[in-house]
Amino acid sequence: MSVLVVIGVSIFVFALLHVIYPSPARDVLGLRAPQMAVDAWNKAHGYDDPAAVQYLRYVKDLLHGNLGYSYIENQSVLALFEGRMARSAYMSGISLALAVLIAIPLGVFQAVKRNSIGDLVVTSTAFTLYSMPVFFLGLLLIQVFALSLPVFSFQASQSTSLLTVIADWHAMTLPIATMTLISVAAFSRYMRSSSMDVLAQDYIRVARAKGLPERLVLLRHLVRNASLPIVTLVGLSLPQLLTGNLITEQLFNYPGLGLLFFDSLKKADYPVLLAYTQAAAILVVAGNLIADIALSIADPRIRLR
Amino acid sequence: MAPLLDVQNLSTSIKLTSSTVHAVDNVSLRVGKGETLGIVGESGCGKSVTGLSIMGLLPPGGAVTGGSIKLNGRELVGLQKEEVRRIRGNQIAMIFQDPLTSLDPTKTIGYQVAEPVRLHRNVSRKAALDRAVEVLGLAGVPQPRERLDNYPHQLSGGLRQRVMIAMALACEPELLIADEPTTALDVTIQAQILALLRDLKERLGMAILLITHDMGVVAGHTDRVCVMYAGQVVETSGVVPLFRETRHPYTRALLASIPRFRQGRENALPAIPGLPPDLSRPPRGCRFAARCFRATEKCRAEEPPLTGPTSAHRYSCWHPLNEPRTLAVSGVDVSGTTGTDLVAPDARSPRTADGIRTSATEHKPETATANGDREGPLLDLRNLVKEYPVGSNAVLRRNAARVKAVSDVSFSMPAGTTFGLVGESGCGKTTIGKMIVALERPDSGSVTFGGVDVAKLRRAELRRERRDLQLVFQDSHSSLDPRMRIGSIIAEPLHAQHWGSRQARRERVFELLAEVGLPKNTVERYPHEFSGGQRQRIGLARALSLNPRLIVLDEPVSALDVSIRAQMLNLMTRLQASHGLTYLVVSHDLTVVRHLADRIGVMYLGKLVEIGSGSDIYERPAHPYTAGLIAAIPLPSPAAEHAKKEPAITGELPSPVHPPSGCRFRTRCRFAQERCAVEEPEPRSFGPGHLAACHFPLRTATPPETTADFAG
Amino acid sequence: MWSMFFPFGRRRATEDRADEPVLDRRPLPLRRATGNRLAVIGFAMLIFFLLFSFVGPLVYRTNQDVISLVDANQPPSAAHLLGTDANGFDQLGRLMKGGQTSLEIGLFAAVVAVTIGTLWGTVAALSNKTVDSIMMRVVDVFLSVPFLFVVLILAVTFVPSVLSLSLVIGGFSWQVPARLVHSEVLILREQDFISAARIAGTPPWRLIIRHLVPNTLGVVIVNMTFQVADAILAVAYVGFLGFGLQFPDVDWGDMLSDGMQYMQAGYWWLVYPAGVCIVLTVVALNFIGDAARDATDVRLRHR
């Protein structure tokens, strides 16, 4: 199934590229190059082949790890991605992990204490965060923690060494907090409702009837069952995560893939833009596949079917 | 001697958003050591809440508001949470209704059964698992050690309930609260589980509080009984006196409204009119007064105390029944006077009791087949086969496993009669019903209705044919469109068949509502505003709208409480008589089928195993499965129940994907021999119209060794 | 007000008919009671922003056409209640103007997305299995591509206008409604009341009109409110990154982005009002959507 989706995604991205950027000839030869030169260049580089042939070549390149060439930067896209990739992965990965680690206990807490003051506070906070554009949240954090109380830096680490980046909590706290909070808002809402569903299940009542202390009822019988839908949700929320990455990197000027995308947008550097879109889509498909596999490990009903 | 459990004046209420339900009101009961106390009542009577109150497991918003619960003299009400927790699962254990949802799907059986042992006994993991093996064996789980690593979804419903019981037994509780432990199970599995509970009680000397709605279960498996109605105990006594010297009109009515075995449908069932009261606003006086034929002004004004001549038999009624009970279980029919007495006068209108009786008699098979003789059978099924692919992706995998839902079934029925199709879950009875009304197409075989093969009709022809073929669904919740008004729902078939003008259709809807006993203003309302019984009446009205010739009734009353069920059964009988309808009743409930049907077919795993008249099937069964099925039904008679010994049918239902070779019942049959595995038995005759497919039948075939056809 | 949006939202029998027995005794989540209150708050907020954006300019007339650098970056005063921006435009008037475009795009994009999604999901669910699975794989493909990326790429290529932005955002966010409607129709198709209608001889088109449409309408309307919220956020993102509407057109995200450079200078009125407008509008829509979802859920999954 995933293979089919990846093929579909590659067709879609290629079609997009083909329609809005049929040939890089103008970028190479300059805007004032004669039409004949453009045609010749196209012929020489295979840009006048039928779309299907071009597509197959595109797929072949992809399979060889060739993501295209930026004529504006005069560099292969892969070379542009290198180095930035790790930084983006670090920021997204740690935010995602933190978000899950915070959202699961938070959602359970809300479900157990539902309609209490605590639940109400968390729910309304989550609701507001959920409705907030990433950049506005980032701005608020900058205002409070970088400008009003100068605890953290309003610019992310500019270092090229990932280790330096990781060690630089002064610069990295705010961007990571921004991305984490946005995801926590979404995940905790789902965790709350999924925990409430599980709390209503008979086996929770049975666990209580065994005489288990409430803490163990939750730990042993609720958390795992209630987390199962979250696994799928995390897989499905990857596109939002990548979007969040784009905005956060732009806001905090963090030199990752998102910022590269933003810069390429300004330069209309289509090969980079579409390569990143393609990579992101494949990442999303892979993420969903991993989520499915993780779910089948966590849920014996799927594993042993 | 002090009782093990002593509940005095317990009151429990549950707070909802807009109201507070007084679910349990002033209930007192005692359970002695090693004794089984049954709590019996209809849904919403407070029986489960009583059990949950004792366990301290009330749902959110629920709280004990008064009274005391003493276990071995120790007060449980107001005890610290931590203390209650130590008693739960240790001294008192509980099993619940639905074994499918009561086990954590992500934990192994071994873990779940060992969990209470580790908690309360403070032993090693290994010792706890050994104990788990021991109790699983005790609960009759085969190969318990191999089951430890299984997950719940790998076990059948019956096995899961055994696991639940093992879990409850793990710490040797003194009291086991069993809340409807067999309601979700098939009748043969129910018999096994009930026998297991009785056996365990005797061997381990524990007391059981058995909560059930089924008078039959109470009769066979309890020592003493509390009958509850609207949150109160209305009658309590030893089990034998309760059935022999019933004093409370509600208990009596409840018993009377159960269809009897040896009783066809000559008599209308004495139904209890109306619905139980709303417990967020309990009525003054006796709570049953509104539905009681003996009620007087005093009953409506003053609440009767729970007293009696002896402390053993008490009841709360100002006008208890004193005469000896005339409603007997074994053979004696409900006499006319008591039968009508039980129905409050206003409930009988617009019909009279006499009307019911005469019309029902007219439709005994002998008289009703007049029509059928002329035209041949109204419905004739020949060699029906239906299989379903299993798994979500079955389209792509051509050789995917297939559920053999219906395998070569043939039978026929004349017009004006009722044919009953019984069997346990998964036997294919519902699929047959769907094929008859052309909701499903058979893989092979024919469904001939009035001389036309329904399965081969083209769309337009089928639409015309549909006027004569209707279905009443089991689940009245999903069979009525929640977004449509009742008026449109009932008029839908009329509309679809372009029946009459708008005005005529409107008139017809009112007419139909009157026939099923619903007020005119029903048309403006939506399905969720009605109770299960009322919705089932609406479904019946819709099925009747086009004056069909045949109505398939798919489990028409199985979702309903006993008293409501009797109302519905009477209504169906009356409508059949007045409209000359032909019914095909599909049900797992043998008493219901017995009550309604002239001829009965017994199904097992997609096969018809026996067919015959009601008395053929119930008094002279030839197939061991039929006999076992009948023996498994709990009868509302302590004497009859105590006479039963072992469950008649052992083991679990085999998978319908890979049914056993030869005779499909052989894996659970006491008489099975080699031949049964090799050769599929042909139907043989055991009297006029009585056939069974068995190599070693319980009766001698007449004439011996002639084969026949079920459809014949 | 409620019934205007929910023609199927009905009174419960238990609330107004004392003579009827209470049939559903399950404890209801408190949320449903508060849910209605939140929905009312949500509606009030939404109506406020609609009036603010569309009627506001008629009452509070400001110059939004002529750049006046003399008046640039004024703090709030009696003449300019929320100050002025770098071009000397009145910030409050600009918020109203930005609100118009944000709300218009949000609403229009949601209509586009829900229309495509509903049709796609319904057709897939009612087709045979092969067509169905192809159509749903297409949904998976579009769901895998982070749609903001595509919107941004297209915004770079074509000059964005209210219409084109709506079409692009709507055209790339129909997948979720398609999935929802698809699964809803699949469930409905198996319901007994559909079988009952078939047994009655009801023709397929009538099944769709009488049963499928009314029963999926709830899901669609609920999703619609969320779609409006998401589209407003999407416009804000595009505007914030600077690829939104062309000057002098403006949306809230645009304004926020422009104001950001003055944050350290302390020109708060250029940043926060626009941000608060976005958040409050989206919160309002989510309130409405959540309450509507609860209301429809209870009736659909009554058991």
Side-chain angles (χ1 to χ4, degrees):
Chain A
M1 273 312 125
S2 308
V3 177
L4 282 180
V5 175
V6 170
I7 293 173
V9 166
S10 66
I11 294 176
F12 171 74
V13 174
F14 172 78
L16 198 63
L17 179 68
H18 195 74
V19 169
I20 63 180
Y21 189 67
S23 150
R26 293 280 173 194
D27 283 340
V28 179
L29 304 173
L31 286 173
R32 266 176 285 168
Q35 186 60 39
M36 269 191 24
V38 170
D39 289 345
W41 194 90
N42 281 348
K43 196 171 180 67
H45 293 85
Y47 283 97
D48 60 348
D49 291 342
V53 175
Q54 290 195 45
Y55 169 71
L56 287 177
R57 195 183 306 128
Y58 173 75
V59 170
K60 200 177 133 206
D61 284 349
L62 267 189
L63 291 175
H64 287 95
N66 179 359
L67 290 172
Y69 191 85
S70 164
Y71 290 91
I72 289 176
E73 298 289 326
N74 258 323
Q75 246 184 331
S76 83
V77 173
L78 202 62
L80 283 170
F81 279 10
E82 268 171 16
R84 290 169 177 258
M85 220 148 33
R87 279 192 291 251
S88 283
Y90 163 68
M91 196 164 84
S92 314
I94 196 155
S95 314
L96 189 62
L98 282 174
V100 171
L101 285 179
I102 295 170
I104 287 182
L106 198 62
V108 172
F109 161 80
Q110 286 179 271
V112 172
K113 304 264 174 211
R114 79 173 141 255
N115 301 326
S116 67
I117 300 294
D119 176 32
L120 212 66
V121 169
V122 178
T123 306
S124 5
T125 313
F127 217 94
T128 316
L129 283 179
Y130 186 78
S131 306
M132 201 177 272
V134 183
F135 55 81
F136 192 58
L137 174 64
L139 275 178
L140 288 180
L141 290 179
I142 288 175
Q143 177 72 59
V144 175
F145 294 105
L147 299 180
S148 303
L149 312 160
V151 189
F152 301 114
S153 163
F154 57 82
Q155 176 162 284
S157 169
Q158 300 296 308
S159 168
T160 47
S161 152
L162 190 60
L163 285 176
T164 317
V165 172
I166 293 172
D168 192 358
W169 59 268
H170 177 72
M172 292 308 292
T173 303
L174 287 186
I176 290 174
T178 306
M179 288 189 64
T180 306
L181 283 176
I182 290 286
S183 300
V184 165
F187 293 171
S188 69
R189 285 182 68 190
Y190 278 90
M191 191 63 198
R192 177 179 186 267
S193 73
S194 124
S195 298
M196 278 178 11
D197 287 349
V198 173
L199 274 178
Q201 294 290 315
D202 284 346
Y203 55 79
I204 293 295
R205 200 166 55 164
V206 171
R208 289 185 182 137
K210 284 174 183 174
L212 279 180
E214 199 57 23
R215 185 177 49 86
L216 286 183
V217 172
L218 300 181
L219 219 56
R220 289 184 184 170
H221 297 282
L222 178 113
V223 171
R224 182 156 166 192
N225 282 294
S227 307
L228 294 178
I230 303 301
V231 175
T232 315
L233 182 75
V234 170
L236 284 174
S237 67
L238 284 177
Q240 281 93 302
L241 193 77
L242 290 164
T243 306
N245 215 29
L246 167 65
I247 307 281
T248 314
E249 288 186 10
Q250 199 271 337
L251 185 66
F252 290 92
N253 193 29
Y254 180 66
L257 291 173
L259 196 60
L260 174 69
F261 187 87
F262 178 70
D263 290 339
S264 305
L265 271 175
K266 285 194 290 200
K267 295 175 200 150
D269 192 351
Y270 290 104
V272 176
L273 295 177
L274 288 160
Y276 186 40
T277 308
Q278 179 75 71
I282 291 173
L283 199 67
V284 170
V285 177
N288 282 322
L289 189 67
I290 291 168
D292 279 355
I293 294 168
L295 191 63
S296 72
I297 290 168
D299 189 345
R301 281 165 298 185
I302 300 175
R303 190 193 328 157
L304 299 165
R305 192 175 278 164
Chain B
M1 188 186 77
L4 173 67
L5 177 77
D6 190 1
V7 176
Q8 290 297 332
N9 308 98
L10 175 73
S11 293
T12 302
S13 60
I14 298 171
K15 260 203 193 73
L16 306 180
T17 29
S18 53
S19 60
T20 300
V21 173
H22 306 282
V24 174
D25 188 12
N26 210 5
V27 162
S28 301
L29 50 88
R30 299 158 159 245
V31 186
K33 283 195 169 63
E35 184 188 42
T36 303
L37 175 74
I39 301 185
V40 68
E42 296 179 277
S43 53
C45 73
K47 55 190 193 301
S48 289
V49 177
T50 305
L52 293 172
S53 302
I54 297 168
M55 283 297 276
L57 284 177
L58 289 168
V64 172
T65 51
S68 98
I69 302 168
K70 285 201 175 97
L71 183 74
N72 281 327
R74 184 177 178 201
E75 181 61 51
L76 299 187
V77 175
L79 207 59
Q80 289 287 313
K81 268 188 175 174
E82 183 60 18
E83 297 291 316
V84 178
R85 192 182 65 63
R86 253 179 234 148
I87 292 168
R88 253 188 243 154
N90 194 8
Q91 284 168 281
I92 313 180
M94 187 159 183
I95 50 179
F96 297 94
Q97 174 170 354
D98 193 349
L100 299 182
T101 56
S102 291
L103 292 166
D104 184 340
T106 58
K107 296 277 192 294
T108 62
I109 301 299
Y111 180 91
Q112 296 189 56
V113 178
E115 196 173 25
V117 186
R118 298 203 64 193
L119 189 72
H120 296 292
R121 290 287 179 275
N122 199 17
V123 295
S124 71
R125 172 189 291 264
K126 166 121 195 6
L129 279 177
D130 285 342
R131 173 69 184 157
V133 172
E134 195 182 324
V135 285
L136 281 170
L138 212 57
V141 175
Q143 291 123 27
R145 199 163 282 279
E146 279 91 281
R147 296 281 177 204
L148 289 182
D149 294 327
N150 281 15
Y151 286 92
H153 70 277
Q154 294 170 294
L155 307 183
S156 69
L159 272 183
R160 280 192 232 184
Q161 196 59 301
R162 286 177 191 271
V163 171
M164 282 299 299
I165 292 172
M167 211 146 76
L169 294 179
C171 290
E172 299 176 307
E174 292 167 88
L175 175 67
L176 176 69
I177 302 178
D179 187 359
E180 302 270 11
T182 57
T183 307
L185 304 173
D186 270 325
V187 64
T188 57
I189 308 295
Q190 158 167 306
Q192 293 174 16
I193 297 289
L194 288 173
L196 171 71
L197 283 178
R198 187 160 56 177
D199 179 50
L200 287 171
K201 176 196 134 192
E202 275 156 24
R203 280 161 65 186
L204 307 176
M206 71 182 169
I208 297 181
L209 186 66
L210 183 65
I211 298 169
T212 179
H213 68 282
D214 189 332
M215 276 294 191
V217 170
V218 166
H221 300 272
T222 61
D223 302 315
R224 289 192 306 113
V225 184
C226 284
V227 181
M228 283 188 73
Y229 181 78
Q232 297 180 325
V233 174
V234 294
E235 182 160 11
T236 175
S237 84
V239 65
V240 176
L242 183 82
F243 283 81
R244 194 186 296 146
E245 294 145 33
T246 312
R247 289 288 183 263
H248 199 286
Y250 174 67
T251 315
R252 163 83 76 89
L254 205 56
L255 282 169
S257 59
I258 305 170
R260 307 287 156 173
F261 257 1
R262 298 188 191 284
Q263 171 191 325
R265 50 196 183 120
E266 291 81 9
N267 295 301
L269 282 173
I272 310 176
L275 294 165
D278 174 3
L279 288 184
S280 58
R281 286 183 293 266
R284 283 181 62 208
C286 172
R287 294 187 177 181
F288 186 59
R291 304 172 75 188
C292 183
F293 68 100
R294 290 174 161 248
T296 58
E297 278 314 307
K298 189 181 183 189
C299 299
R300 283 182 263 274
E302 261 178 84
E303 194 175 310
L306 185 71
T307 54
T310 64
S311 65
H313 192 165
R314 287 176 298 157
Y315 33 89
S316 61
C317 183
W318 292 122
H319 310 290
L321 303 152
N322 289 319
E323 71 272 46
R325 208 160 74 86
T326 48
L327 314 162
V329 178
S330 44
V332 187
D333 279 346
V334 181
S335 72
T337 43
T338 23
T340 46
D341 249 357
L342 282 164
V343 184
D346 57 329
R348 275 181 313 192
S349 58
R351 62 205 146 103
T352 66
D354 278 333
I356 302 166
R357 212 165 296 118
T358 44
S359 54
T361 326
E362 270 168 21
H363 278 272
K364 290 192 61 73
E366 289 77 24
T367 50
T369 44
N371 232 354
D373 284 343
R374 192 158 21 90
E375 298 171 13
L378 177 69
L379 180 73
D380 185 44
L381 311 184
R382 291 268 165 194
N383 309 101
L384 274 189
V385 176
K386 181 74 187 177
E387 300 183 354
Y388 295 102
V390 212
S392 53
N393 228 343
V395 196
L396 298 176
R397 279 178 275 134
R398 246 160 226 286
N399 293 327
R402 296 173 78 80
V403 171
K404 279 71 176 176
V406 176
S407 305
D408 194 15
V409 167
S410 310
F411 65 85
S412 65
M413 52 188 296
T417 62
T418 301
F419 189 90
L421 213 49
V422 280
E424 296 175 276
S425 54
C427 73
K429 54 190 191 299
T430 296
T431 309
I432 291 187
K434 284 186 176 167
M435 287 192 285
I436 291 173
V437 296
L439 268 184
E440 299 269 1
R441 279 180 190 255
D443 293 340
S444 68
S446 65
V447 178
T448 314
F449 175 74
V452 189
D453 189 347
V454 177
K456 295 197 174 62
L457 287 180
R458 270 173 308 168
R459 226 194 190 143
E461 296 167 330
L462 182 60
R463 189 175 307 161
R464 234 171 295 125
E465 204 63 33
R466 293 226 187 263
R467 295 180 193 186
D468 288 333
L469 274 172
Q470 287 294 317
L471 178 82
V472 173
F473 292 86
Q474 162 178 16
D475 183 353
S476 60
H477 245 298
S478 76
S479 66
L480 306 179
D481 189 333
R483 304 245 181 272
M484 260 166 113
R485 290 175 198 274
I486 302 303
S488 316
I489 289 176
I490 297 176
E492 187 170 43
L494 300 173
H495 201 112
Q497 301 286 353
H498 311 294
W499 188 95
S501 64
R502 177 178 289 269
Q503 187 55 36
R505 288 201 291 265
R506 209 176 144 72
E507 291 300 316
R508 176 78 181 131
V509 169
F510 286 138
E511 200 180 304
L512 288 162
L513 282 174
E515 281 202 71
V516 298
L518 290 172
K520 270 193 174 183
N521 67 8
T522 307
V523 293
E524 294 299 328
R525 297 166 64 185
Y526 287 91
H528 72 268
E529 300 176 40
F530 295 90
S531 70
Q534 291 167 325
R535 278 197 304 267
Q536 206 58 304
R537 284 169 190 260
I538 293 165
L540 199 54
R542 171 174 60 187
L544 280 173
S545 58
L546 291 165
N547 268 321
R549 286 204 279 167
L550 175 75
I551 297 185
V552 176
L553 301 155
D554 185 3
E555 302 275 10
V557 294
S558 51
L560 307 178
D561 265 322
V562 185
S563 64
I564 311 294
R565 175 182 297 201
Q567 296 174 5
M568 191 67 194
L569 289 174
N570 287 343
L571 175 66
M572 291 188 300
T573 316
R574 189 165 54 81
L575 289 173
Q576 177 170 38
S578 55
H579 291 255
L581 291 165
T582 309
Y583 281 159
L584 183 97
V585 184
V586 169
S587 180
H588 72 283
D589 188 331
L590 289 93
T591 52
V592 166
V593 170
R594 169 69 169 132
H595 180 75
L596 288 174
D598 305 305
R599 282 174 62 71
I600 293 167
V602 183
M603 288 191 71
Y604 184 78
L605 266 185
K607 288 272 185 194
L608 202 54
V609 297
E610 184 161 3
I611 195 168
S613 70
S615 40
D616 284 340
I617 299 290
Y618 289 85
E619 285 151 36
R620 301 178 289 277
H623 200 286
Y625 177 65
T626 311
L629 202 57
I630 291 165
I633 304 168
L635 299 174
S637 150
E641 277 298 298
H642 290 148
K644 288 181 185 173
K645 291 178 198 82
E646 290 299 297
I649 299 178
T650 53
E652 303 275 323
L653 195 73
S655 155
V657 179
H658 305 289
S661 64
C663 172
R664 291 191 176 176
F665 182 58
R666 68 176 163 84
T667 51
R668 299 171 76 190
C669 182
R670 257 184 296 178
F671 309 103
Q673 296 184 20
E674 266 171 53
R675 184 180 167 200
C676 301
V678 183
E679 193 186 329
E680 195 182 322
E682 291 290 327
R684 285 188 288 168
S685 173
F686 294 88
H690 182 194
L691 298 120
C694 179
H695 291 304
F696 305 101
L698 303 170
R699 315 179 61 78
T700 327
T702 52
E705 299 309 316
T706 46
T707 60
D709 190 336
F710 278 131
Chain C
M1 174 167 65
W2 193 232
S3 61
M4 181 172 80
F5 284 83
F6 285 86
F8 46 82
R10 291 179 295 271
R11 297 165 302 167
R12 293 186 62 76
T14 49
E15 282 164 6
D16 51 4
R17 281 175 218 271
D19 55 332
E20 275 298 312
V22 178
L23 305 170
D24 188 350
R25 295 205 179 87
R26 291 175 317 163
L28 300 169
L30 187 67
R31 222 172 138 216
R32 259 190 64 212
T34 55
N36 270 327
R37 209 172 307 145
L38 288 184
V40 171
I41 296 172
F43 264 114
M45 283 161 68
L46 188 63
I47 287 171
F48 168 77
F49 276 109
L50 284 169
L51 290 176
F52 171 77
S53 306
F54 292 96
V55 183
L58 305 177
V59 180
Y60 183 78
R61 292 177 185 276
T62 54
N63 162 36
Q64 295 293 335
D65 302 316
V66 186
I67 296 175
S68 157
L69 292 177
V70 188
D71 297 324
N73 295 338
Q74 303 268 327
S77 64
H80 302 286
L81 291 178
L82 273 176
T84 57
D85 70 1
N87 290 323
F89 293 142
D90 181 276
Q91 186 68 3
L92 187 59
R94 200 131 188 90
L95 275 179
M96 294 171 177
K97 198 172 170 192
Q100 288 181 14
T101 49
S102 289
L103 288 167
E104 276 168 12
I105 298 174
L107 211 63
F108 191 48
V111 170
V112 171
V114 169
T115 309
I116 301 176
T118 305
L119 287 175
W120 192 277
T122 312
V123 170
L126 294 179
S127 306
N128 67 43
K129 285 204 168 171
T130 322
V131 175
D132 182 13
S133 70
I134 291 172
M135 288 180 79
M136 292 322 285
R137 286 298 83 74
V138 172
V139 171
D140 287 349
V141 167
F142 279 86
L143 216 47
S144 300
V145 183
F147 97 101
L148 195 70
F149 289 20
V150 179
V151 173
L152 284 170
I153 291 172
L154 291 174
V156 170
T157 316
F158 308 102
V159 177
S161 67
V162 169
L163 183 69
S164 69
L165 259 186
S166 312
L167 285 176
V168 169
I169 292 174
F172 284 97
S173 48
W174 54 273
Q175 305 94 321
V176 172
R179 267 199 176 178
L180 280 173
V181 171
H182 179 255
S183 66
E184 201 63 32
V185 173
L186 280 189
I187 294 169
L188 280 174
R189 234 172 52 153
E190 300 304 317
Q191 294 286 305
D192 282 347
F193 65 81
I194 297 283
S195 300
R198 281 173 59 203
I199 292 174
T202 308
W205 60 267
R206 211 180 133 78
L207 280 182
I208 294 174
I209 292 173
R210 291 289 288 170
H211 296 286
L212 285 184
V213 171
N215 280 290
T216 40
L217 205 61
V219 176
V220 170
I221 290 177
V222 169
N223 183 254
M224 182 88 174
T225 59
F226 292 132
Q227 288 285 340
V228 178
D230 286 354
I232 288 177
L233 279 181
V235 182
Y237 284 134
V238 176
F240 172 78
L241 291 175
F243 301 98
L245 299 166
Q246 300 291 300
F247 186 82
D249 278 343
V250 72
D251 70 71
W252 288 334
D254 229 356
M255 293 174 65
L256 212 156
S257 161
D258 290 344
M260 247 181 73
Q261 50 187 307
Y262 301 106
M263 254 182 88
Q264 273 168 300
Y267 296 170
W268 57 268
W269 60 92
L270 295 184
V271 180
Y272 296 105
V276 169
C277 282
I278 299 173
V279 174
L280 288 184
T281 310
V282 176
V283 163
L285 286 160
N286 281 336
F287 272 166
I288 297 168
D290 257 25
R293 180 168 53 197
D294 287 356
T296 49
D297 257 15
V298 170
R299 289 194 172 77
L300 265 184
R301 308 187 208 310
H302 193 74
R303 284 150 56 85

